[in-house]
Amino acid sequence: MKQPGSAVPILIMLLALVVIWYVAAVLLNWSGVTDAMKLAGNANPTFGDILSGTMGQDKPLLPAPHQVAIELWNTVFSQSVTSKRSLIYHAWITLSATLLGFAFGTALGIGLAILIIHNRASDRSMMPWIIASQTVPILAIAPMIIVVLNAIGIAGLIPKALISTYLSFFPVVVGMVKGFRSPEMIQLDLMHTYNASKLKTFFKLRWPIAMPYLFASMKVGIAASLVGAIVGELPAGGGNGLGARLLAGSYYGQTIQIWSSLFVAAILAGALVVIVGIVERLVVARMGARPA
Amino acid sequence: MTAVVSAKGLGLTFRTNDGDVIALSDVNLEIEPGEFVSFIGPSGCGKTTFLRVIADLEQPTAGTISVNGMTPEAARKNRSYGYVFQAPALFPWRTIEKNVALPLEIMGHPESERRARIARVMELVNLTGFERKFPWQLSGGMQQRASIARALAFDADLLLMDEPFGALDEIVRDHLNSELLKLFAATKKTIAFVTHSIPEAVYLSTKIVVMSPRPGRVTDIIQSTLPAERPLDIRETPEFLAIAHRVREGLRAGHSYEETA
C-alpha cells in the first residue's frame, strides 16, 4: 500500500538537488563568464551581470537545469520523431539495441544457469570464466567487437546488442543459478518420491521457485543492457543513438547536448526498470503471492 | 498375501566427518497389507530413517528390504507409495487443487481424470471448497490435510507418514487423528506412521514398533488389541492405557529416557 504523503520526501529531495545544481552551475561557470566579458571589453562586470551570464552560456562548463530542460523540450517535443535532431529518434535507436541485447542476455544467462546447476563439470569450468568476463573493462573491448563484426559484414543493431548481452547476461546467470538451487531438500525429496524426471523437476519446481530471482536479475540486467548499448554507440562515432549524441557533444563541447542525452538515458533506464517491476508484480500476483 | 514391507537385518550407517553414525542396526520387520504401523521412539532412534529407506530416499548399508516384493527403488519408480512429510511442503505458487494435481501431472494423468481424483481426495480430507485457495490462506492443519490429499491422489496402496502432525497443536492433532482413522477405514490402505507421541501411536495403530536410539533398533513390536472403531474417548479405557504402558516400558527398556549422547 502506498503511504499517504510519501511524495513529500521525494519532492524535497528533488528540490534540494535542483538547488545544489544551480549553485554548482554558478560556481563552475563564474570564471568562464568573467573571462568572456573581459575579452568583450567589459573589464568590470557587475555581480548581477556575471550571475545572469552563468545561467545562459552557449557552452557552459555545467549547464543550468533550465538550459537542459529547454534543450530537452526542443529535441524531444519540437522535432519530428524521425528527425536526426530528435532525441526520441536517438533514444529509439539505443532502446532497440538495448532490448535485443537484453533478450539475448537473459536467454543466455538462463541457459548457462541451467547448464551449471545440472552439471558439476560445467559449474567448475564455466563459472570462473563468467566472472572473469565481467572484470574486463567493457570500454576496452566494445570497439574491438564493433570493428571485428564490421569487418565480417555485421553492422548496425547486432554489434551493439551483443555488447548489451555481454553486460546483461551476468546478473541473470548469477541470480538464476541461485534461484534454480533454491528448492528446499523436502521439496526435492517430494519430487523424488514421484519419480519425477529432471525435466519435470525443472519445470514444476525449479523454474517457478526461481521467478523472484529472475526479476531481481532482470532489473539489474536491463539497466546494464542500456549502458552496453550506449557504450557500443561510442566507437561508431557520428552515427545515431544516445551514445553517438554523447560523443558528438563532447567533440564539440556541446555540454547542453551531453546533459540532455544523459537525462534521456537515465529516464529510459528508470522506465525500463519500472516496466520490469510491473511485469514482476503481475507474475507474482498470478503465482499467488500474499499481498504485502 | 505377501508383506508390503519386509526388512531383514537392515542397517544403515551414515559416514560423517565426525566418524560413523549408526542410524539403523539389525531391523527385522514385516508390514502386512492393511496394517496401520506406528514407529515410536525418541529422536535419533532411526524411525524417520527407516521410513526414508522404504521410500528409497536413503540407501541401507546392511541387510535387505523389499517393498511390495520389489526393491525400494523399483517400488518408487512404480509409484507404490505416497509420502507425507513433517512439513506440508506445498508449493506456494500453486493453489491447493494444483498442489494436489502435482503428482498427477508428473505421472501423466489426463486432465479429466485429474479433476475427478482431486475432487475425491479433497472430500476424503474434508477440504472441499478450498480448491482455489493458496497455501498461505490455510491454517497449518489444513495445509497438512492438503499434503495428505496430495499423497492419496495417485492411489498408491502404501502411505508413508513422517510425523505429519508433529508441528500442530494438541486440539488440531486430535481432530486430524480421528480423521486419519476414518480415512484408513475408508481407503483400506497400508500406513506406516512415524510419531513421538505415545497416545497418538496407540490411538491410531494396529501395530506399534518401539525403537530406541544409538544405535537405532527395534525394542518391541506390539499388536494392538483395540477395536477398529475408535472414538476419541477410547483413550481413557484400561485397554488403551495398558498398551500405552507397554509402549512406555519398551521405550524405557531401550534406555531412551537417559541422556547417552
Side-chain angles (χ1 to χ4, degrees):
Chain A
M1 288 299 290
K2 208 168 198 166
Q3 292 294 312
S6 64
V8 173
I10 296 173
L11 285 176
I12 291 174
M13 194 67 203
L14 205 60
L15 199 67
L17 284 175
V18 171
V19 169
I20 291 169
W21 188 357
Y22 267 113
V23 172
V26 170
L27 294 176
L28 284 171
N29 297 336
W30 192 269
S31 62
V33 172
T34 19
D35 289 351
M37 285 181 168
K38 272 178 190 154
L39 278 176
N42 186 351
N44 286 311
T46 64
F47 181 84
D49 286 344
I50 303 175
L51 192 63
S52 66
T54 58
M55 295 289 103
Q57 284 178 291
D58 270 349
K59 296 179 178 181
L61 209 51
L62 177 66
H66 66 268
Q67 288 180 293
V68 175
I70 291 166
E71 170 79 4
L72 274 175
W73 182 267
N74 288 338
T75 49
V76 170
F77 298 105
S78 309
Q79 303 284 340
S80 148
V81 290
T82 54
S83 157
K84 278 206 166 196
R85 297 175 61 85
S86 165
L87 269 184
I88 298 285
Y89 168 79
H90 291 287
W92 166 247
I93 302 279
T94 305
L95 181 65
S96 55
T98 301
L99 293 179
L100 186 65
F102 175 67
F104 284 166
T106 305
L108 178 66
I110 292 170
L112 287 174
I114 290 171
L115 273 181
I116 286 169
I117 59 150
H118 282 113
N119 185 329
R120 181 181 279 272
S122 61
D123 184 7
R124 296 251 172 99
S125 59
M126 287 195 304
M127 213 52 195
W129 291 105
I130 289 170
I131 291 164
S133 76
Q134 301 302 303
T135 64
V136 177
I138 189 68
L139 270 171
I141 48 168
M144 291 194 277
I145 293 174
I146 302 284
V147 168
V148 167
L149 288 178
N150 258 314
I152 58 170
I154 303 171
L157 189 63
I158 302 284
K160 288 192 285 176
L162 285 180
I163 293 163
S164 289
T165 304
Y166 189 89
L167 288 185
S168 64
F169 87 97
F170 181 69
V172 178
V173 176
V174 174
M176 289 312 272
V177 165
K178 184 92 180 148
F180 289 149
R181 283 185 177 153
S182 64
E184 289 169 39
M185 209 53 222
I186 193 170
Q187 293 169 319
L188 292 169
D189 277 348
L190 183 73
M191 297 306 268
H192 192 66
T193 68
Y194 300 149
N195 192 29
S197 62
K198 278 190 171 176
L199 196 71
K200 289 258 170 72
T201 304
F202 180 80
F203 283 110
K204 306 272 181 208
L205 175 58
R206 292 189 192 273
W207 178 258
I209 211 170
M211 276 306 104
Y213 295 84
L214 178 64
F215 284 104
S217 311
M218 288 204 303
K219 281 182 193 168
V220 180
I222 199 153
S225 227
L226 183 70
V227 171
I230 290 174
V231 169
E233 284 162 353
L234 292 179
N240 300 317
L242 293 175
R245 287 286 284 190
L246 285 170
L247 195 71
S250 69
Y251 275 163
Y252 303 112
Q254 298 285 358
T255 44
I256 299 174
Q257 180 187 328
I258 296 177
W259 279 88
S260 54
S261 304
L262 279 180
F263 263 86
V264 170
I267 291 164
L268 205 56
L272 290 171
V273 172
V274 167
I275 289 168
V276 173
I278 289 170
V279 175
E280 174 178 23
R281 251 192 289 165
L282 292 176
V283 170
V284 162
R286 261 188 64 91
M287 287 173 70
R290 185 195 295 248
Chain B
M1 284 220 314
T2 56
V4 177
V5 175
S6 170
K8 291 188 184 68
L10 194 76
L12 195 159
T13 304
F14 290 112
R15 304 202 180 284
T16 70
N17 291 335
D18 285 347
D20 292 353
V21 175
I22 303 169
L24 288 173
S25 159
D26 194 30
V27 172
N28 296 290
L29 188 75
E30 303 261 305
I31 299 177
E32 303 296 334
E35 280 192 307
F36 193 127
V37 181
S38 281
F39 296 84
I40 187 163
S43 40
C45 72
K47 53 195 193 299
T48 293
T49 307
F50 185 65
L51 210 64
R52 289 175 64 85
V53 169
I54 299 174
D56 189 37
L57 292 169
E58 304 285 355
Q59 304 308 318
T61 50
T64 59
I65 182 164
S66 71
V67 179
N68 283 347
M70 296 173 261
T71 64
E73 189 188 1
R76 176 176 65 81
K77 291 191 167 154
N78 217 11
R79 282 123 180 191
S80 311
Y81 66 84
Y83 200 106
V84 180
F85 292 86
Q86 289 179 8
L90 299 170
F91 291 179
W93 56 87
R94 285 175 169 250
T95 57
I96 297 303
E97 64 178 354
K98 291 279 181 194
N99 265 292
V100 175
L102 177 71
L104 303 175
E105 288 172 18
I106 289 169
M107 295 171 192
H109 293 265
E111 169 77 35
S112 57
E113 194 191 322
R114 285 210 299 260
R115 221 171 295 150
R117 281 168 178 264
I118 291 166
R120 204 191 64 219
V121 293
M122 290 293 278
E123 200 183 332
L124 269 174
V125 299
N126 269 329
L127 275 180
T128 308
F130 293 92
E131 287 87 352
R132 300 287 161 85
K133 298 280 186 213
F134 281 100
W136 63 269
Q137 294 171 302
L138 268 57
S139 68
M142 290 165 91
Q143 288 184 26
Q144 197 54 283
R145 261 151 56 194
S147 94
I148 293 170
R150 183 179 58 188
L152 292 171
F154 52 99
D155 259 342
D157 291 326
L158 175 61
L159 200 55
L160 305 173
M161 306 179 87
D162 182 9
E163 289 186 44
F165 311 136
L168 305 174
D169 67 62
E170 190 93 17
I171 300 162
V172 176
R173 184 194 277 235
D174 275 357
H175 177 64
L176 290 183
N177 278 342
S178 62
E179 301 252 297
L180 183 58
L181 270 190
K182 276 184 215 148
L183 195 141
F184 175 61
T187 58
K188 310 267 181 243
K189 291 196 187 297
T190 309
I191 300 182
F193 187 95
V194 166
T195 180
H196 51 226
S197 156
I198 296 172
E200 188 171 67
V202 178
Y203 177 68
L204 291 173
S205 317
T206 61
K207 182 153 95 186
I208 302 163
V209 178
V210 184
M211 299 181 76
S212 84
R214 286 176 274 271
R217 65 192 188 282
V218 175
T219 51
D220 196 5
I221 297 177
I222 305 164
Q223 286 290 343
S224 177
T225 51
L226 296 177
E229 187 70 31
R230 299 176 188 182
L232 271 174
D233 52 19
I234 201 171
R235 295 180 299 183
E236 281 130 43
T237 62
E239 205 177 359
F240 184 97
L241 296 174
I243 298 170
H245 178 74
R246 188 172 155 193
V247 172
R248 206 166 281 121
E249 286 298 307
L251 290 171
R252 196 168 291 146
H255 302 291
S256 44
Y257 288 150
E258 290 168 27
E259 271 308 319
T260 51

